Amino acid sequence: MKILIKNGNVVLNDKIEVLDIVIDGEKIVEIGKDIKQTKDYKYINARGKYVLPGGIDVHTHFHMDFGGTYSSDDYVSGSLAGAINGITTYLDYAIMKKEKTFKELLDKKLQLSKNSYTDYGFHIALTRADNDILKEMESAKDLGISSFKCFMVYKKENMMISDDNLLKILKKAKTCNLLVNIHAENVDEIDKNIETFVKENKLNNYYHYLSRDEQVEYEGVLKALKIAKEADAPIYIVHNACKDGINAIRKAKEQGQIVYAETCPQYLNFTSDVYKKEDSQNYVCSPAIKNKESQLALWDAIYDKTIDVVATDHCPFLLKEKLWGINDFRKTPNGCDGIENLYPYMLDKANRGVISYLDAARLVSYNPAKIFNILFKGEIKVNNDADIVIYNPRNKYVFNKEEMSFSKSDYSIWEGYEYSGKIETVILRGEFLLKNNTPLAKIGFGKYIKRG
Ligand code: URP
Ligand code: ZN
Ligand code: ZN
């Protein structure tokens, strides 16, 4: 099928121009002015609207075995929730548990994700660093895996990587040209804080935040930077939420260290005051959402490009599960919803003049594709995949989970958010996922993306 998108404000990598785009099959085949419409084109009038590259959410946890249950979105519901809201590709975390090889884990994951609505890939989260694992890293790219993850936390969940092992993994990653993503918090400090709060019977969700406060994250980031420097390896620090941490990353970048920084909309939009609310459990995630100063520092880091990527860390649970910790924050499963709100949120900020549309596309599409080797995506360009989002800056709406959501979770931290514009059309490899607000996404259309 050929599609002609006419007269949209096309958000290219470095400028926005009123242009026409021709899609033939899965690809963008022509970009130009005054392209003539012929009979075999499906025609979309995008005048007054923004035409952007499809969103790439590089941080999801679908069907994650965590916190005594599984995250509530699987690859079907999670990808559909993203598809309708401009996320045409995602990278999910596949976490090594008892599997002996990456291949074994990847095979399971490919089975679970085969009905995905959108394109996808995986980061492998390592939970050990024995010789077999280090050896297998050498051939990870044959499986399409070019990024790994190390958690400096989650000891009791058997997901934590020690500092020594992190160093080993980073050294190996460096020799194999692989990127390691790091969840950076100081686990000893968290444990100490929790012990104190438990003794003092301070157990409501506000103490989740106080046990993983600004200092905890700052120390984790400093340590991650130090170990990466020792290994001389690039790193990607996931879900940054604190001022001193992001300032330390800025300094490391200035000194020439290769470090990429991610944050998430929940850290940009909320502050730790949410842990005083009646529905505090819904905001429990790690790192915890920090104070106002940190929120402002994250925006500063967006402005000066210290932050490279905004992704979701999408990991919602059912409300009844979130309520397990109502009298003991240690029992609240950690994670927030986000995939339905990432691109709408960033585009809302662009529409309100807080950032530019170029920023939104860079943070949610271009940089994720570049950093994680996702070829033919992340940019509106001839020969790239026709992954396209059309945004109407005048179509206001208020997010209403009950009526609008495709996620299987039964609450949203984004309930009631007033969006100033709306994603009206989403195209993935030339197929409509959403057309003029009508969902058309097809189950199983998503393809596994091998990354080299
Ligand atoms: O609270 C969170 N972020 N849950 C998902 C796991 C992680 O740390 O990314
Ligand atoms: Zn994490
Ligand atoms: Zn995560």
Side-chain angles (χ1 to χ4, degrees), residues 396-445:
K396 292 184 195 160
Y397 69 105
V398 177
F399 186 71
N400 173 333
K401 163 95 189 124
E402 180 115 353
E403 284 172 20
M404 296 175 183
S405 177
F406 290 85
S407 161
K408 277 205 244 167
S409 67
D410 47 4
Y411 63 87
S412 171
I413 61 170
W414 297 96
E415 184 71 35
Y417 189 92
E418 293 176 19
Y419 288 101
S420 56
K422 189 170 186 312
I423 289 173
E424 291 183 338
T425 294
V426 182
I427 300 170
L428 167 60
R429 286 184 283 107
E431 291 289 327
F432 287 100
L433 306 182
L434 180 77
K435 190 177 179 197
N436 293 326
N437 298 306
T438 304
L440 295 175
K442 289 192 207 77
I443 192 163
F445 181 68

Side-chain angles (χ1 to χ4, degrees), residues 59 61 64 66 149 151 154 183 239 285-286 313 315 334-335:
H59 192 155
H61 298 279
M64 183 191 190
F66 196 50
K149 163 104 170 249
F151 292 97
Y154 304 141
H183 175 140
H239 49 39
C285 58
S286 293
D313 197 7
C315 189
N334 285 203

Side-chain angles (χ1 to χ4, degrees), residues 59 61 64 66 93 95 149 151 153-154 159 183 185 208 212 238-239 266-267 284-287 313-315 317 322 333-336:
H59 192 155
H61 298 279
M64 183 191 190
F66 196 50
Y93 282 96
I95 300 177
K149 163 104 170 249
F151 292 97
V153 292
Y154 304 141
M159 285 158 59
H183 175 140
E185 287 183 291
H208 166 76
R212 313 179 85 112
V238 294
H239 49 39
Q266 56 272 33
Y267 302 121
V284 168
C285 58
S286 293
D313 197 7
H314 184 82
C315 189
F317 295 90
K322 282 298 227 181
N334 285 203
C336 295

Side-chain angles (χ1 to χ4, degrees), residues 102-254:
F102 304 156
K103 168 103 179 48
E104 191 183 330
L105 174 61
L106 187 65
D107 284 347
K108 275 190 208 165
K109 283 287 177 185
L110 289 174
Q111 195 54 30
L112 288 167
S113 58
K114 67 173 194 257
N115 285 328
S116 176
Y117 282 86
T118 55
D119 289 355
Y120 59 96
F122 294 99
H123 315 278
I124 302 271
L126 299 173
T127 50
R128 52 184 209 270
D130 52 49
N131 287 339
D132 291 345
I133 291 281
L134 296 175
K135 180 84 195 136
E136 204 188 357
M137 283 174 75
E138 292 169 14
S139 56
K141 287 191 180 178
D142 298 344
L143 300 173
I145 302 291
S146 63
S147 50
F148 287 82
K149 163 104 170 249
C150 292
F151 292 97
M152 293 167 71
V153 292
Y154 304 141
K155 209 188 292 176
K156 72 172 186 330
E157 292 86 352
N158 296 320
M159 285 158 59
M160 193 179 101
I161 282 285
S162 67
D163 298 350
D164 289 349
N165 282 343
L166 179 58
L167 182 63
K168 276 191 212 164
I169 289 166
L170 285 168
K171 282 185 174 165
K172 185 51 127 182
K174 163 83 180 178
T175 63
C176 305
N177 194 21
L178 300 162
L179 184 60
V180 177
N181 308 346
I182 301 181
H183 175 140
E185 287 183 291
N186 180 341
V187 74
D188 298 329
E189 201 59 31
I190 296 171
D191 287 349
K192 217 169 73 196
N193 290 339
I194 291 180
E195 206 185 305
T196 307
F197 294 141
V198 169
K199 267 193 205 137
E200 295 170 356
N201 205 23
K202 293 173 170 165
L203 291 172
N204 67 50
N205 285 318
Y206 194 68
Y207 291 93
H208 166 76
Y209 159 55
L210 291 185
S211 66
R212 313 179 85 112
D213 63 3
E214 287 73 8
Q215 187 66 16
V216 161
E217 187 176 333
Y218 174 49
E219 287 171 13
V221 169
L222 282 186
K223 195 193 267 183
L225 291 170
K226 183 164 168 273
I227 298 174
K229 197 168 179 186
E230 196 179 333
D232 190 25
I235 50 169
Y236 176 96
I237 301 188
V238 294
H239 49 39
N240 283 278
C242 103
K243 175 182 167 183
D244 290 343
I246 204 67
N247 288 349
I249 292 174
R250 178 182 295 107
K251 202 161 143 201
K253 284 185 183 224
E254 282 164 3

